[in-house]
Amino acid sequence: MTRSSVAVLALVALTLALVPGLSRAAVFSPQTATLDNGMQVVLVENHRAPVVTHMVWYKVGSADEPQGVSGIAHFLEHLMFKGTDNMAPGDFSKIVARNGGNDNAFTSWDYTGYFQNIARDRLDLVMEMEADRMTNLKLSDDVVLPERDVIIEERRSRIDTSPGALLGEQMRASLYMAHPYGRSIIGWRHEMEKLTTEDALEFYRDWYAPNNAILVVAGDITMDELLPMAEKYYGVIPRGKDMTRNRVQEPVQHAPRKVTMRDPQVGQASWSRYYLAPSYNTDAADAAPLDVLSEIIGSGTTSRFFKALVVDQEIASSVGTFYDPVAVDLASFGVYAVPRGDVDLADLEKAVEAEIANVVADGVTQDELDRAKQKLLDSAVFARDSLSAGARVLGQSLAVGLTVDQVESWPDRISAVTVDQVNDAAKRVFDANKSVTGWLMPPEGGPVTGAGAALPITSGEGVH
C-alpha cells in the first residue's frame, strides 16, 4: 500500500460517526449480512466501472500480541503470502497481477487487512485464494526464517535509520505507559530476532478465523451476487474459537514527559506533542468535537495555528495537528511545528503553548466551527467518489468495534457539534499531565548531513 493510500484513509477516518442510531444521512450506504460461521459481509455498491475492491479485515493487531513476541502480527501478515497446499510461496500476488489486479496487506495496532483490486469477473478467483489462506496456511522454517530477516531489514530501513520515526516510536512508548499502543507495530528488534515458526502458527491459529474477520467488497456487484460467493468460499470454513482482546489499561498519568533526540541526519529541528485522547469507543461525546477542533486549529494553511505561528508571528515554517480516534482503546491528539530559520525550539514551544492556552481559555468561534464542519462534511462527499475509500473506512471501523450505523450517521453527528462541546473537549484533551513532548534536533555542535525536518510518526501501519 502506498503512502498516499494511507493518507486518504487517515483523512476519511477523521470523519467517522460516533453515536449509533442516527442513520438519517448516509455516507456509503452499505449492505451487510453475516454468514453462519460468524463472518460479517459488507458491500458498498459502485457501478461506475467493472472493478471491485475485495478486503478481508482481521480483528487483531500488534496491540493484541502476547508479551515478548512484539511484531508477530506484522510478521504473520508477511507470512500469509508464503503459500498453502494449493499455492506455492509468492504465487498469490503473481496470480493477482497476471489477472490485471494489484494486492497488498497492512497491520496496525487494532487490525490486520488484506486487499485486492481486480476486475469484477475475477472476484471469484481472489476470494477463493483469500479463503484458502485463511485456513490452510503452511509454514516451515525454510520460509519463515528468511522472511524474519526481511522484516528486520524493514525495521532498519523504516525506523532505525529514520530519526523522526525513532522519536515517534519513543514518544508513543512514553505516552502509553502500560497500554500496548505504546509498542511499535513492526516490533522491538531484540524480540523480532527471536520470532519463530511456532510463534507465527500459534498467532494464526488463535486469531485467523471467519468469526474474527470482516469481508468488505466495494464495486460493481450486488449483494444478491456477492453473498452466494461469500458463502461458497468463506461460509464453508469452520468457526474458530472466540477471542477476547485482553489488554492492560492505561493508569492515571500525573506528569508531563519529554523526549529529546539529536541525530546527524536531522537537517531541521522540529517540535511535537502527543496528548492522550478519547477514541470513538472510549468517549463518543468528546471524539466528534475533537475532530472539529483539529480541523479548526491545525488543518492546513487556513487553520488558526498556521495563521498565528506561520503568517502573523513568522516563527514557524509549518504547523499542524493530528487526531487518531479510530481505535479500540484510548487515542492520541497531537500538535507539531517546525521552526522558521534559526528560531530556537524553546521559543517555538512557548509560542505553540500560548496558542493552546488561548484555545483553552477563550475557545473557538461560531464562524470557525461552521467552516470546519462544512469542510468535514465535504470530505465525506469526496470519499464516495473513491472505489476503495468506503471499503477501507468501513473495514477499519468495524475492526475496532464500531458499527455501520456509527459510520453512516457521521453527517448528523458532525452537524450537531456545538461551540460549547468543542471548547469543553479542548479543555479536557489539553492536559499537560497526559502528554509527551518531542524535540528532534541536529547534533549539538556537530555536522548536519540531513535535509529538511524529520517529523515524528503519529500513527501508522506495517505494510507488506
Side-chain angles (χ1 to χ4, degrees):
M1 185 172 61
T2 65
R3 289 183 180 273
S4 61
S5 299
V6 176
V8 169
L9 173 61
L11 171 65
V12 179
L14 289 176
T15 64
L16 292 176
L18 309 179
V19 176
L22 298 176
S23 300
R24 295 185 298 278
V27 181
F28 301 111
S29 301
Q31 302 168 59
T32 64
T34 302
L35 304 182
D36 290 343
N37 58 12
M39 188 174 190
Q40 187 173 6
V41 179
V42 181
L43 170 65
V44 180
E45 288 192 42
N46 186 332
H47 300 287
R48 296 181 182 181
V51 295
V52 293
T53 292
H54 171 267
M55 307 189 78
V56 172
W57 297 72
Y58 291 95
K59 292 179 278 189
V60 62
S62 64
D64 302 300
E65 297 165 342
Q67 287 291 333
V69 289
S70 65
I72 193 64
H74 173 247
F75 190 23
L76 178 58
E77 175 215 310
H78 277 240
L79 296 174
M80 286 288 283
F81 292 84
K82 295 304 178 182
T84 67
D85 285 340
N86 304 311
M87 186 171 301
D91 277 2
F92 191 107
S93 296
K94 293 177 183 177
I95 293 172
V96 172
R98 282 201 301 267
N99 283 271
N102 62 78
D103 75 307
N104 216 319
F106 48 86
T107 306
S108 192
W109 287 282
D110 290 320
Y111 51 79
T112 308
Y114 303 83
F115 71 89
Q116 302 86 38
N117 298 310
I118 198 82
R120 163 64 180 86
D121 61 3
R122 299 293 193 274
L123 179 59
D124 277 84
L125 173 66
V126 297
M127 193 177 289
E128 181 179 15
M129 293 194 300
E130 194 67 76
D132 179 38
R133 67 177 176 180
M134 176 183 286
T135 190
N136 296 319
L137 183 66
K138 299 297 181 184
L139 298 179
S140 58
D141 285 353
D142 61 332
V143 297
V144 169
L145 299 186
E147 194 65 26
R148 186 176 66 186
D149 293 336
V150 171
I151 62 167
I152 291 172
E153 172 59 23
E154 182 181 347
R155 180 184 166 89
R156 187 200 67 79
S157 63
R158 296 182 59 193
I159 306 292
D160 295 338
T161 60
S162 169
L166 280 172
L167 178 61
E169 187 178 69
Q170 294 297 304
M171 289 178 66
R172 283 196 68 94
S174 298
L175 182 65
Y176 297 97
M177 299 190 304
H179 194 281
Y181 284 162
R183 188 163 56 222
S184 177
I185 293 173
I186 201 167
W188 305 121
R189 180 169 185 139
H190 68 286
E191 294 182 349
M192 295 169 67
E193 291 171 342
K194 298 178 181 178
L195 295 177
T196 67
T197 301
E198 185 53 39
D199 290 332
L201 286 171
E202 183 176 358
F203 198 78
Y204 175 72
R205 289 190 292 259
D206 283 345
W207 294 99
Y208 278 52
N211 50 300
N212 197 49
I214 306 157
L215 169 65
V216 186
V217 176
D220 188 27
I221 190 170
T222 66
M223 184 60 89
D224 287 342
E225 296 168 319
L226 174 63
L227 197 55
M229 295 171 61
E231 290 173 340
K232 176 181 178 180
Y233 295 114
Y234 294 111
V236 297
I237 301 175
R239 181 186 182 95
K241 61 182 178 181
D242 293 325
M243 296 297 292
T244 301
R245 298 185 197 253
N246 294 316
R247 298 177 175 178
V248 175
Q249 295 303 299
E250 193 64 21
V252 176
Q253 299 188 0
H254 301 285
R257 282 132 283 159
K258 180 179 178 181
V259 180
T260 300
M261 177 171 289
R262 291 183 180 271
D263 192 282
Q265 295 184 71
V266 178
Q268 171 63 63
S270 63
W271 178 93
S272 57
R273 179 171 293 169
Y274 299 175
Y275 294 89
L276 278 182
S279 69
Y280 295 140
N281 276 312
T282 62
D283 188 349
D286 264 1
L290 288 176
D291 264 340
V292 178
L293 175 67
S294 183
E295 183 69 35
I296 291 172
I297 65 175
S299 178
T301 57
T302 60
S303 67
R304 180 190 286 198
F305 282 10
F306 190 93
K307 290 179 179 178
L309 300 171
V310 178
V311 178
D312 296 338
Q313 299 179 41
E314 299 183 348
I315 196 171
S317 61
S318 66
V319 64
T321 60
F322 57 84
Y323 178 41
D324 187 16
V326 186
V328 171
D329 298 309
L330 284 171
S332 59
F333 189 105
V335 185
Y336 63 88
V338 177
R340 176 176 295 188
D342 59 356
V343 171
D344 189 78
L345 212 54
D347 293 334
L348 178 63
E349 180 176 82
K350 290 177 182 178
V352 176
E353 288 177 338
E355 292 303 318
I356 293 173
N358 287 339
V359 172
V360 172
D362 302 328
V364 303
T365 67
Q366 185 66 47
D367 180 62
E368 287 177 318
L369 177 75
D370 292 341
R371 286 188 285 110
K373 290 199 295 187
Q374 189 59 55
K375 286 177 67 177
L376 291 174
L377 289 167
D378 289 346
S379 70
V381 176
F382 299 147
R384 297 188 189 111
D385 290 335
S386 168
L387 174 66
S388 61
R392 293 188 63 81
V393 171
L394 285 160
Q396 182 189 29
S397 303
L398 296 172
V400 304
L402 300 176
T403 66
V404 168
D405 280 347
Q406 286 176 289
V407 176
E408 290 296 280
S409 66
W410 170 80
D412 296 308
R413 177 58 180 169
I414 212 73
S415 296
V417 171
T418 67
V419 167
D420 287 342
Q421 288 174 332
V422 173
N423 293 339
D424 290 344
K427 291 174 183 177
R428 282 188 282 271
V429 79
F430 288 132
D431 181 349
N433 288 332
K434 298 177 182 178
S435 74
V436 178
T437 301
W439 283 28
L440 185 63
M441 307 173 72
E444 191 168 12
V448 176
T449 59
L455 292 175
I457 56 171
T458 59
S459 62
E461 299 173 334
V463 182
H464 170 70

